[in-house]
Amino acid sequence: MLNIVLFGPPGAGKGTQSQKLIEKYQLIHLSTGDLLRSEIAQGTQLGLQAKKLMDEGLLVPDEVVIGMIESKIADNRTAAGFIFDGFPRTVPQAEALDQLLEKYDQGISCMIALQVDEEELTKRLLLRGKTSGRPDDADETLIRKRVQEYNTKTTPVADYYAQQGKFYAVDGIGEIEEIFTKSCEIIEACQVA
């Protein structure tokens, strides 16, 4: 089974690249952002709690996110694999994900990190805020806070996967197809290994 962690700060292009990887490898998309937005749209208690945190530029607690992911994995036991988009963001989440996957006799195949500098991210997110209607993408102060929180909390996750020999960096600035090709080359190499 192919399980990919697609890593990168908000605005790095994870959504675009994940869609292309999903089509090519027939993976199930596990985007914690999409899962949370779905809960918010449904007005669930979890959704309301998540919305309050997200509006403040904060992350949702691990146990809530892990529970949602486990439910998706359990519902898709015959899938070709999963692409984890925007998760894990902390080492405890990465450890919890490894433990969760072990329960299903699986593991992470590789982590692809899209690397984009803060100024480019801010530009992309402000532009996305104009077209997406997402309030968290329309406020430059919130954007910078999200990027700072991402950098503080998630850099150790890259180290965690690097220690397992599963971390691969890809320049997230450039043509979409070029970034996709580089990502596919990494995946092919991980499948052979």
Side-chain angles (χ1 to χ4, degrees):
M1 186 172 274
L2 179 62
N3 292 313
I4 301 167
V5 173
L6 188 58
F7 202 63
K14 293 184 304 294
T16 300
Q17 291 301 319
S18 68
Q19 285 306 316
K20 295 180 78 56
L21 293 170
I22 287 162
E23 287 175 30
K24 180 173 175 80
Y25 297 102
Q26 300 300 300
L27 303 173
I28 302 287
H29 186 221
L30 284 176
S31 163
T32 53
D34 289 349
L35 290 172
L36 291 168
R37 281 188 284 278
S38 173
E39 294 286 332
I40 290 167
Q42 294 172 31
T44 65
Q45 184 175 354
L46 170 65
L48 296 173
Q49 179 186 1
K51 183 177 183 340
K52 182 180 185 302
L53 293 168
M54 289 167 71
D55 286 348
E56 293 171 11
L58 301 174
L59 300 176
V60 177
D62 291 355
E63 61 274 6
V64 172
V65 178
I66 292 287
M68 291 188 300
I69 289 172
E70 180 164 15
S71 176
K72 286 287 185 188
I73 290 172
D75 290 346
N76 293 284
R77 298 288 302 274
T78 60
F82 297 90
I83 188 162
F84 297 91
D85 175 357
F87 185 88
R89 294 182 189 211
T90 64
V91 170
Q93 286 179 353
E95 292 169 343
L97 181 58
D98 279 351
Q99 291 170 4
L100 172 62
L101 290 172
E102 281 175 24
K103 279 174 50 177
Y104 295 91
D105 295 320
Q106 298 179 41
I108 294 299
S109 307
C110 62
M111 174 205 231
I112 298 173
L114 299 176
Q115 299 186 323
V116 181
D117 66 68
E118 185 174 343
E119 293 311 310
E120 177 66 18
L121 293 170
T122 302
K123 263 192 331 196
R124 288 181 183 185
L125 290 171
L126 287 170
L127 184 62
R128 185 170 81 180
K130 292 176 183 172
T131 58
S132 73
R134 285 178 51 181
D136 56 332
D137 287 343
D139 182 324
E140 185 171 340
T141 304
L142 272 183
I143 289 169
R144 291 190 183 276
K145 183 176 180 179
R146 284 166 56 205
V147 171
Q148 181 180 16
E149 183 162 328
Y150 169 87
N151 289 332
T152 301
K153 290 188 174 177
T154 60
T155 299
V157 177
D159 296 336
Y160 175 83
Y161 285 108
Q163 289 169 4
Q164 295 180 8
K166 297 178 180 177
F167 174 83
Y168 299 88
V170 173
D171 186 354
I173 298 177
E175 295 297 318
I176 291 170
E177 285 303 318
E178 183 182 317
I179 296 165
F180 177 62
T181 299
K182 288 178 188 171
S183 298
C184 291
E185 288 169 359
I186 291 167
I187 291 166
E188 302 298 327
C190 289
Q191 286 185 305
V192 170

